[in-house]
Amino acid sequence: MSILIDKKTKLIVQGITGREGEFHARQMIEYGTQVVGGMTPGRGGETALGVPVFDTMEQAVAKTGANASVIYVPARGAADAILEAADAGIALVVCITEGVPVVDMMRVARRLAETGTRLIGPNCPGLISPGKSKVGIIPGNICKPGPVGLVSRSGTLTYEVIHALSQRKIGQSTCVGIGGDPVHGLGYIETLELFDADPQTKIIALIGEIGGTDEEKAAEYIKKKMTKPVVAFVAGQTAPPGKRMGHAGAIIEGGTGTAAEKIAAFKRAGVPVARFPGEVAELIAAKLATKSKSRSVAKKKK
Amino acid sequence: MKLHEYQSKAIFAKYGIPIPKGTIAENAEAARQVASQLGKKVVIKSQVLVGGRGKAGGIKVAATPDDAETIADQILGMTIKGLPVRKVLVDEAINIAREIYLGVVVDRATRRATMMGSAAGGVEIEEVARVSPEKIIRVAIDPAFGLQDYQARELAFAIGIDKANVREFTAIATGLYRAFVDVDASLAEINPLVVTGEGKLIAADGKIVLDDNALYRHLDLEQLRDVDEESSEEQQARKAGLSYVKLDGNIGCMVNGAGLAMATMDVIKFYGGEPANFLDIGGGAKADKVKIALEIILSDPNVKAVLFNIFGGITRGDEVARGIVEGLKGVKTNVPMVARIVGTNAEEGRKILANANMLTAETLEEGAQKAVAAARGQV
């Protein structure tokens, strides 16, 4: 198993004829993702990378039965692309685009609450279920299948942690980049809930960063509801207040959103916090080792 | 991007929000003229993009045009929290009976714009939130319908607005929300919203922060950008499409990705060093971007070592290395460079970098330790 995407995921690439869209569509196809079509207004009837291109998402869904889409269109068209996918009945929309205005995203969030569409992003690397499917831009070659569920607000920092895990021969069930914008779709809590219910996932790595209070809320959720262990890392311990650190959402405002507060919240919830990204893999290796030990002890007792 | 008080108030006025009569002045003589035209007591207000102007002595009352000239001359020579005062706003003085706070922010948790009101106006809302959060009343706004009159009234009654002013307050609140949406703000606030001795409401001060991601559709507002808001390096970085924040340490950082850039700074600190900056060069490491980024980093005289941390991912490691070496060619420096790259062919990449006299590392921890040592002269 895995969460959100697997071999059955049928994907439309919105913006497949653009430079980014085409490059990553090719990567996804090579990885084994079922890309069933692309969409670019005005390019309907053409073929790109061996799949049909449609003018509208409605046509794309009607012709292919797609249940997911990934968006590589420029920021000014991204909100429109999300809404079009949602209205066409797509269940999972992944928006890679960075720089979407927050006023647009508030409208999108409002609309998606009505359609029930699940959105990942924007300003995110997408997600990957190693060995099954990838939707987005996470490099497939650094991932391997296994027991770790990963959820993160960042892109390359996520790759860093995946890489550290894979180097220790620890694989991943699904890695989800939820995005670095202040208003985004899927959050930590929904992702944790999915991981907790997923049989393949044995342990979760949560990668946070400064800004907002999502990590604090996740810590509370972990303490109250999670049955599986979680290990965390929070980036931005050295970030100054009032400065946006690259991501639109990574800013300490009015004294809230500091790394220190988030780390304290995780510690209160009994979640071990890595001091640097590589240590996430160390902590997870240690947890998995004690788990398998206790399991073999339990077996012996029988 | 932040707007000045006078720019924010001009926008508010377009949405029917009453503001004091006043004009901007760039020299003492102009301030005198404005004061004499207004023909009454005025307030001279420094226009700098920081809070705490009043406490710093950047806001003063002038009784006569002569006073206005003297005070403007004094304020225009000031530097407040590192920012030079280049303009003053000369506003008619108003008779303050009561000060209220009214603002619209993006609430990340509810994914909605939220209007906040408080009877405790005139002080920073962050301070109110810290000391007496119960004094802040919040109303979440549905983006499909906008702020409704009844919501504004609820807010008015909750913060104790006089019945006679409720209609006026409602018009101001709905105007503020419309302004927030129309200019694509991430913050729009009136602090204080003054109830005058004559029983009228007036926006005595205003602040708007624009969403940088939406500036493409507000080219007129982008022209209002104050050059002093950013350092010249930050400006150069923004124009080159790089995210850069200057810090106080001595180890320059060049990283692809914002989260990884923050983590790189944290690891430097963990090994006893201090990062000199945050810098995200974006995807891959193209020679032209590396060159600009390096020039920006090295323009800081504190920098004693530079750490490159590039996670290639899909980009090949040797390609990244060639980009770095190519970018380095155009920059003359003796500062030691440490590079840590990951990606297919990373080993080949490290060879290329070593041949270009760079120190190399396989892991981020190793790279940070080498950079810390290099900054201490222990190469």
Side-chain angles (χ1 to χ4, degrees):
Chain A
M1 293 277 285
S2 52
I3 66 164
L4 299 161
I5 56 166
D6 56 27
K7 284 189 171 160
K8 283 179 258 168
T9 303
K10 292 166 91 175
L11 186 74
I12 297 287
V13 178
Q14 295 179 253
I16 196 168
T17 55
R19 200 169 56 92
E20 293 283 306
E22 191 190 331
F23 178 82
H24 290 289
R26 179 174 284 123
Q27 296 274 335
M28 288 188 284
I29 293 167
E30 281 170 9
Y31 194 74
T33 306
Q34 255 199 82
V35 175
V36 295
M39 185 228 144
T40 301
R43 304 285 292 267
E46 295 180 20
T47 303
L49 305 170
V51 298
V53 179
F54 301 94
D55 282 323
T56 69
M57 282 304 287
E58 200 188 352
Q59 292 165 6
V61 172
K63 291 274 162 57
T64 65
N67 54 9
S69 83
V70 61
I71 296 172
Y72 295 97
V73 308
R76 57 189 73 192
D80 185 60
I82 298 169
L83 292 175
E84 182 175 1
D87 281 343
I90 293 281
L92 178 72
V93 180
V94 180
C95 184
I96 306 301
T97 310
E98 180 179 357
V100 184
V102 73
V103 163
D104 291 2
M105 280 315 299
M106 290 192 288
R107 289 197 187 104
V108 166
R110 161 76 167 69
R111 176 68 183 140
L112 298 195
E114 289 175 345
T115 60
T117 313
R118 191 171 255 158
L119 171 69
I120 296 178
N123 190 13
C124 80
L127 67 166
I128 185 165
S129 294
K132 297 181 185 120
S133 179
K134 88 159 187 170
V135 175
I137 62 174
I138 297 176
N141 60 319
I142 60 168
C143 304
K144 58 180 271 163
V148 182
L150 194 150
V151 57
S152 169
R153 276 166 67 189
S154 158
T156 46
L157 178 56
T158 307
Y159 310 166
E160 179 80 41
V161 175
I162 296 173
H163 180 67
L165 287 166
S166 295
Q167 288 220 312
R168 286 178 169 267
K169 304 204 170 5
I170 302 170
Q172 307 88 37
S173 55
T174 303
C175 305
V176 192
I178 59 175
D181 277 359
V183 174
H184 57 89
L186 194 79
Y188 286 126
I189 292 176
E190 298 100 306
T191 315
L192 289 169
E193 206 174 352
L194 292 169
F195 278 136
D196 219 20
D198 170 44
Q200 184 185 337
T201 306
K202 304 293 178 220
I203 184 164
I204 295 107
L206 187 156
I207 313 300
E209 65 188 31
I210 56 160
T213 53
D214 287 356
E215 286 80 4
E216 286 88 331
K217 284 178 190 126
E220 227 167 273
Y221 177 83
I222 292 165
K223 196 177 175 186
K224 284 192 186 141
K225 299 274 174 75
M226 289 290 286
T227 61
K228 295 174 186 172
V230 180
V231 167
F233 174 74
V234 181
Q237 294 167 55
T238 44
K243 291 278 183 182
R244 213 169 285 282
M245 306 302 275
H247 291 154
I251 180 167
I252 299 166
E253 286 171 306
T256 63
T258 65
E261 283 172 325
K262 294 171 191 298
I263 290 169
F266 283 124
K267 289 194 170 160
R268 276 198 302 276
V271 174
V273 182
R275 293 166 300 172
F276 45 88
E279 204 181 32
V280 174
E282 281 175 41
L283 292 170
I284 285 180
K287 284 249 179 198
L288 287 173
T290 54
K291 265 188 121 186
S292 62
K293 211 186 242 173
S294 63
R295 216 168 26 236
S296 59
V297 171
K299 267 184 196 164
K300 273 180 196 164
K301 276 184 185 166
K302 276 179 188 171
Chain B
M1 175 186 145
K2 291 175 187 163
L3 293 183
H4 280 293
E5 174 193 1
Y6 76 95
Q7 297 164 336
S8 306
K9 281 174 16 184
I11 291 171
F12 292 162
K14 285 188 200 157
Y15 289 84
I17 298 170
I19 59 167
K21 280 192 197 117
T23 307
I24 202 78
E26 293 184 30
N27 58 59
E29 172 52 29
R32 161 194 275 278
Q33 279 175 17
V34 177
S36 92
Q37 273 161 18
L38 289 170
K40 59 204 283 197
K41 201 159 79 173
V42 295
V43 191
I44 313 282
K45 307 177 87 177
S46 55
Q47 299 294 293
V48 282
L49 296 170
V50 287
R53 291 175 297 160
K55 272 186 205 151
I59 299 177
K60 286 200 172 126
V61 177
T64 65
D66 279 349
D67 280 0
E69 184 170 350
T70 314
I71 292 170
D73 188 49
Q74 181 205 341
I75 292 180
L76 282 164
M78 288 174 71
T79 298
I80 300 177
K81 294 183 184 169
L83 295 175
V85 180
R86 299 187 198 276
K87 287 175 183 168
V88 289
L89 175 63
V90 183
D91 259 0
E92 59 173 342
I94 46 177
N95 180 5
I96 300 171
R98 213 190 137 187
E99 294 182 311
I100 292 157
Y101 172 91
L102 191 65
V104 185
V105 294
V106 175
D107 180 48
R108 298 165 67 139
T110 57
R111 298 167 192 179
R112 293 204 164 173
T114 296
M115 183 163 277
M116 300 196 294
S118 176
V123 288
E124 283 193 15
I125 196 68
E126 287 87 357
E127 186 61 17
V128 182
R130 204 173 55 81
V131 180
S132 38
E134 74 287 350
K135 284 189 183 158
I136 301 175
I137 312 295
R138 290 182 170 80
V139 177
I141 303 164
D142 187 325
F145 300 106
L147 181 77
Q148 300 299 298
D149 284 358
Y150 78 87
Q151 293 181 298
R153 286 196 301 271
E154 277 176 9
L155 199 58
F157 292 122
I159 61 176
I161 296 283
D162 200 273
K163 282 196 177 69
N165 292 122
V166 169
R167 198 182 289 265
E168 232 177 311
F169 178 87
T170 304
I172 290 172
T174 48
L176 183 63
Y177 175 71
R178 278 187 290 122
F180 173 92
V181 173
D182 287 355
V183 303
D184 273 295
S186 55
L187 168 84
E189 73 177 17
I190 303 172
N191 189 23
L193 175 62
V194 164
V195 183
T196 66
E198 298 78 32
K200 292 282 177 202
L201 296 181
I202 190 162
D205 198 350
K207 180 175 169 186
I208 292 178
V209 180
L210 300 172
D211 175 4
D212 292 334
N213 286 342
L215 283 175
Y216 74 84
R217 53 190 181 204
H218 301 287
L219 298 178
D220 53 330
L221 295 176
E222 185 164 23
Q223 286 178 353
L224 300 178
R225 188 188 292 275
D226 181 340
V227 289
D228 293 328
E229 189 187 352
E230 310 169 304
S231 65
S232 65
E233 292 78 30
E234 280 168 343
Q235 210 177 104
Q236 205 188 338
R238 181 169 49 77
K239 285 179 182 158
L242 307 167
S243 287
Y244 169 82
V245 176
K246 192 186 169 318
L247 302 167
D248 300 328
N250 61 4
I251 299 174
C253 308
M254 192 185 306
V255 187
N256 66 331
L260 190 58
M262 280 188 272
T264 303
M265 288 158 40
D266 294 349
V267 178
I268 287 172
K269 177 97 175 172
F270 180 75
Y271 286 109
E274 289 289 342
N277 65 279
F278 165 93
L279 191 148
D280 172 9
I281 59 163
K286 300 268 154 53
D288 53 337
K289 276 204 172 177
V290 169
K291 183 169 179 285
I292 295 172
L294 199 59
E295 281 168 355
I296 292 169
I297 291 172
L298 293 174
S299 69
D300 176 354
N302 292 333
V303 171
K304 296 286 179 278
V306 178
L307 174 60
F308 292 76
N309 184 18
I310 310 292
F311 201 105
I314 290 161
T315 322
R316 294 201 328 262
D318 53 323
E319 225 172 281
V320 171
R322 280 191 196 98
I324 293 176
V325 172
E326 191 60 35
L328 282 174
K329 274 185 193 159
V331 187
K332 276 200 181 119
T333 178
N334 296 320
V335 172
M337 311 266 167
V338 181
R340 182 263 178 158
I341 53 170
V342 182
T344 332
N345 300 347
E347 204 173 321
E348 199 187 321
R350 279 194 292 275
K351 272 183 205 152
I352 294 170
L353 294 165
N355 286 337
N357 283 326
M358 293 183 82
L359 298 164
T360 62
E362 274 187 52
T363 66
L364 172 53
E365 292 88 71
E366 187 195 344
Q369 281 168 289
K370 283 189 173 169
V372 171
R376 289 180 182 148
Q378 304 158 348
V379 185

